């Protein structure tokens, strides 16, 4: 399905798998262990951002940068929640004159 979608998205730029079956075999071999949802998401991202037929790496890639950013975001939200839980009210002697 991934190859069919890629070929459909780039009808004039897709490799001719019929004339070069060895290319097709390599694609099938490399895509065999790719999670379908991940491969499809990567292909969709590629279609949205490139005018060129994807390389195998564009579809099978595991983008650690995205995972790192997601983890950092989760960590920051946890930190904010902890700060909010541990926050105390401002003492009255410091509050005087604030917002008057």
């Amino acid at each position: 399905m991934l190859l069919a979608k890629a070929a459909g998205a780039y009808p004039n730029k897709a490799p001719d798998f019929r004339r070069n079956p060895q290319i097709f075999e390599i694609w099938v071999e490399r895509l065999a262990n790719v999670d379908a949802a991940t491969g499809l998401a990567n292909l969709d991202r590629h279609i949205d951002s490139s005018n060129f037929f994807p390389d195998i790496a564009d579809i099978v890639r595991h983008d650690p940068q995205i995972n790192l950013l997601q983890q950092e975001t989760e960590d920051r939200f946890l930190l904010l929640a902890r700060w909010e839980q541990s926050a105390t009210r401002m003492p009255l002697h410091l509050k005087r004159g604030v917002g008057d």
Side-chain angles (χ1 to χ4, degrees):
M1 173 171 156
L2 290 171
L3 285 176
K5 183 171 185 172
Y10 301 94
N12 298 321
K13 298 174 182 172
D16 188 346
F17 294 117
R18 290 186 187 134
R19 293 180 82 195
N20 298 303
Q22 67 275 16
I23 294 174
F24 180 75
E25 291 170 12
I26 292 170
W27 274 82
V28 170
E29 173 192 322
R30 301 311 307 154
L31 296 178
N33 294 323
V34 175
D35 173 68
T38 300
L40 190 57
N42 288 342
L43 177 59
D44 287 340
R45 190 175 309 121
H46 181 84
I47 290 170
D48 292 343
S49 63
S50 179
N51 294 325
F52 301 100
F53 191 82
D55 292 325
I56 294 171
D58 295 321
I59 296 174
V60 301
R61 74 185 168 99
H62 171 71
D63 197 339
Q65 183 65 26
I66 291 173
N67 292 338
L68 177 63
L69 292 174
Q70 289 172 337
Q71 185 61 51
E72 287 177 354
T73 301
E74 289 175 19
D75 291 346
R76 299 230 189 242
F77 278 122
L78 286 172
L79 186 59
L80 286 172
R82 286 188 204 129
W83 287 343
E84 190 174 84
Q85 290 173 352
S86 65
T88 58
R89 293 188 180 265
M90 183 184 291
L92 286 177
H93 71 280
L94 294 176
K95 192 173 183 178
R96 288 192 188 114
V98 175
D100 288 341

